[in-house]
Amino acid sequence: MPTLPSAFVDRIHQQFGNESNSLLDAFGEPAKTSVLMNPFKSDLNAPFDEAKSLPWNDMGFLLNHRPSFTIDPRLHGGHYYVQESSSMVIGFVLKQLFKGQTDLNCIDLCAAPGGKSLNILNYLKGSGLLVSNEVNPLRNSILRETLCKWGSLNRLVTKRNSNDFAALRGLFDFVLVDAPCSGEGMFRKDEFAISQWSTHLVKQCASTQRSILENAWALVADGGYLAFSTCTFADEENAENSRWLFSQLNCESIQIEVPTSWELNELKDHFFGLRFLPHKVPGEGFFISVFRKKGGESSKSFKSTNPFWKSALREHRVAIDSWISLSETEHVYINSKNELSVVHISSDKTLKLLDILVRNDLVAEPGSILATVKGKDIIPEHGMAMCNLERTESLIVDISREIALAYLRRDLSDILTEKRGWLILRSEGVVLGWIKKMDNRINNYYPVDWRIRMNTG
């Protein structure tokens, strides 16, 4: 069992009373492993041997042991994502709030590494528009990788502070704030979280969360919802900030109805909340509360004179359409680096939001970057291989698992095929990425930073 800070242990005893010993003992037990499946790419029937579906997410599965994910091509091809099971309740929350409605404007305000954004995309089923925001450059890069592999195009990435979105006030049906926190709920999975914990950190996180929540609340549309979540147990971060948010005059706290068999800890103290406790659920510590806005905000446009992304020329769209099938719902953009990005827009409502984002120069990546223009040539990017659009079958070459792992390590120097030029490698139904085939060798275009860095022999 990890050595827990004494101040933390004392507070847990005070906070949870008779339940505290069971909760503290849970930190000495091994963490469970769970995955979120990609319904756009995977067969959900038997994703892993002896996997059990999660009660609060029909695309989430609890595994009986932790496999070697690194050498599974399905992970690299975006067929599933390794995610802590408690946080997958986001999918259940969306179903209860919107009852199947999918034409929604959503924003995940603190999105990296991206798991909760994937839950939102799974719910949207290709409709609506998701804005995934992360201000930290390194974490933003991880977020882009996560979203690229998932393949959904009804999303975009931003890289701003929460107070930079004045142009988006009142435009979102659903705002998720998975706020930076002291990480108490992850202690048995993350020793660094234990080492950095202090009462000062708890207070600091609580203050930061309140600032983010204040900015986030302005983004919620009239009748829309804000979900506030953390992976901590501290009342200063969870309950006190939820009570503060509930004190807003145009706010209604929403009770998420859950079966008693889930053994969730329900909070009812001037607001409703759900708490996942690791001695009761097959996951880590997690907290979530949901609020509905009774009155909307007005957006303020600060139109940029030279936004980074602009609508691409028709010739660029035609060029991309020769590689994959674009419909009228796919919008193509180009930036100053001549990167071509495609975003899926399913309604006038989502198109309006996208237009405001682009005009106000808030977008780091609209949809997924599919190609780069170099002179008269169009160079395909990894996003074109990963996206959930129909590809030209003649581009695909099927390879064995062994060759697939060599490709993912970037150790592959050639393959046997009569095809030449740009080709997509696929192994056991999993699309992996691009190569360029010459007579006696290949150029491997799997992203260098994503390559497998371990000995898989």
Side-chain angles (χ1 to χ4, degrees):
M1 180 173 178
T3 302
L4 302 173
S6 58
F8 169 76
V9 173
D10 291 343
R11 199 204 70 218
I12 291 296
H13 280 302
Q14 182 179 11
Q15 186 176 357
F16 290 95
N18 294 335
E19 211 171 359
S20 60
N21 286 333
S22 297
L23 174 56
L24 291 169
D25 287 345
F27 289 115
E29 299 173 359
K32 304 291 186 180
T33 300
S34 51
V35 297
L36 178 73
M37 302 305 296
N38 186 341
F40 312 105
K41 294 187 176 184
S42 294
D43 178 2
L44 301 181
N45 293 326
F48 290 88
D49 292 339
E50 301 180 26
K52 297 180 181 179
S53 59
L54 287 173
W56 47 81
N57 194 315
D58 55 8
M59 294 174 228
F61 289 83
L62 191 69
L63 310 187
N64 65 346
H65 68 279
R66 187 178 182 88
S68 181
F69 291 120
T70 304
I71 58 173
D72 186 353
R74 295 181 300 167
L75 175 68
H76 304 281
H79 283 232
Y80 66 86
Y81 179 79
V82 184
Q83 185 174 29
E84 200 284 305
S85 64
S86 299
S87 61
M88 293 189 213
V89 77
I90 296 297
F92 178 81
V93 168
L94 285 165
K95 284 185 176 181
Q96 192 161 129
L97 294 178
F98 295 104
K99 305 184 187 311
Q101 180 188 355
T102 56
D103 185 25
L104 306 172
N105 289 338
C106 305
I107 184 168
D108 185 355
L109 207 54
C110 311
K116 295 179 183 66
S117 282
L118 301 187
N119 279 267
I120 297 172
L121 289 170
N122 279 1
Y123 174 80
L124 292 178
K125 297 181 175 65
S127 297
L129 186 65
L130 169 66
V131 178
S132 294
N133 181 69
E134 176 57 50
V135 67
N136 180 281
L138 178 59
R139 288 171 59 80
N140 190 278
S141 178
I142 296 170
L143 172 64
R144 292 193 196 196
E145 177 182 349
T146 300
L147 294 173
C148 176
K149 290 177 178 179
W150 212 246
S152 298
L153 296 180
N154 59 321
R155 55 87 181 174
L156 52 85
V157 174
T158 55
K159 190 167 59 176
R160 297 299 188 110
N161 287 303
S162 61
N163 59 357
D164 289 337
F165 292 118
L168 307 179
R169 294 169 69 94
L171 293 181
F172 290 96
D173 304 293
F174 182 72
V175 176
L176 174 61
V177 178
D178 185 48
C181 70
S182 57
E184 298 172 355
M186 303 299 289
F187 274 2
R188 69 177 173 186
K189 293 185 71 173
D190 187 353
E191 292 186 4
F192 178 72
I194 299 176
S195 67
Q196 72 168 356
W197 186 91
S198 68
T199 55
H200 173 72
L201 177 64
V202 171
K203 294 177 182 178
Q204 185 180 50
C205 288
S207 176
T208 300
Q209 291 167 8
R210 187 167 296 194
S211 176
I212 294 173
L213 286 170
E214 185 173 17
N215 294 325
W217 187 245
L219 304 180
V220 183
D222 184 10
Y225 299 91
L226 183 148
F228 166 47
S229 66
T230 72
C231 58
T232 191
F233 307 112
D235 278 341
E236 297 98 315
E237 300 178 69
N238 297 339
E240 290 183 16
N241 278 338
S242 294
R243 278 194 289 268
W244 169 81
L245 189 55
F246 180 65
S247 69
Q248 306 301 305
L249 294 178
N250 59 348
C251 182
E252 174 188 3
S253 182
I254 301 297
Q255 183 171 7
I256 302 299
E257 303 288 347
V258 297
T260 56
S261 61
W262 292 3
E263 292 193 86
L264 303 188
N265 190 221
E266 296 186 70
L267 303 180
K268 299 178 182 179
D269 183 10
H270 297 92
F271 73 96
F272 297 105
L274 293 175
R275 191 160 50 193
F276 291 67
L277 302 176
H279 64 294
K280 288 186 172 182
V281 300
E284 306 311 303
F286 187 72
F287 166 85
I288 187 168
S289 57
V290 179
F291 302 88
R292 179 180 176 272
K293 179 174 281 189
K294 298 179 182 178
E297 304 276 348
S298 298
S299 61
K300 299 178 181 179
S301 179
F302 301 99
K303 183 176 179 181
S304 173
T305 56
N306 188 29
F308 183 64
W309 289 95
K310 300 177 182 179
S311 293
L313 300 174
R314 173 175 172 76
E315 63 192 64
H316 295 141
R317 181 183 182 89
V318 171
I320 290 180
D321 203 28
S322 66
W323 299 78
I324 56 175
S325 298
L326 297 179
S327 70
E328 61 182 15
T329 58
E330 273 77 56
H331 293 240
V332 183
Y333 288 85
I334 189 169
N335 63 23
S336 59
K337 299 193 294 185
N338 283 330
E339 294 173 325
L340 294 172
S341 194
V342 174
V343 58
H344 176 80
I345 296 298
S346 58
S347 69
D348 290 341
K349 173 182 175 179
T350 53
L351 180 59
K352 176 185 175 183
L353 175 59
L354 175 63
D355 183 57
I356 292 173
L357 283 156
V358 172
R359 284 191 293 108
N360 286 275
D361 204 17
L362 296 172
V363 182
E365 181 179 290
S368 188
I369 295 174
L370 301 195
T372 299
V373 180
K374 291 189 177 179
K376 295 183 179 180
D377 295 329
I378 299 290
I379 309 300
E381 299 289 347
H382 195 67
M384 191 184 293
M386 292 291 99
C387 74
N388 300 326
L389 293 177
E390 184 178 349
R391 303 168 189 83
T392 304
E393 189 67 24
S394 61
L395 295 172
I396 295 177
V397 176
D398 285 298
I399 57 176
S400 69
R401 180 186 177 89
E402 181 181 5
I403 294 175
L405 292 176
Y407 170 73
L408 293 169
R409 294 193 305 265
R410 288 183 60 95
D411 287 344
L412 188 63
S413 59
D414 204 359
I415 60 170
L416 292 175
T417 180
E418 294 181 357
K419 298 179 180 181
R420 296 294 183 268
W422 289 103
L423 300 172
I424 293 175
L425 297 188
R426 181 175 63 189
S427 177
E428 300 175 349
V430 179
V431 170
L432 297 172
W434 291 98
I435 63 168
K436 192 170 187 181
K437 171 64 175 160
M438 277 73 79
D439 287 339
N440 300 310
R441 65 182 179 88
I442 67 162
N443 286 342
N444 189 332
Y445 283 87
Y446 191 74
V448 174
D449 292 342
W450 302 1
R451 70 189 185 278
I452 295 177
R453 289 181 169 86
M454 63 176 287
N455 184 356
T456 59

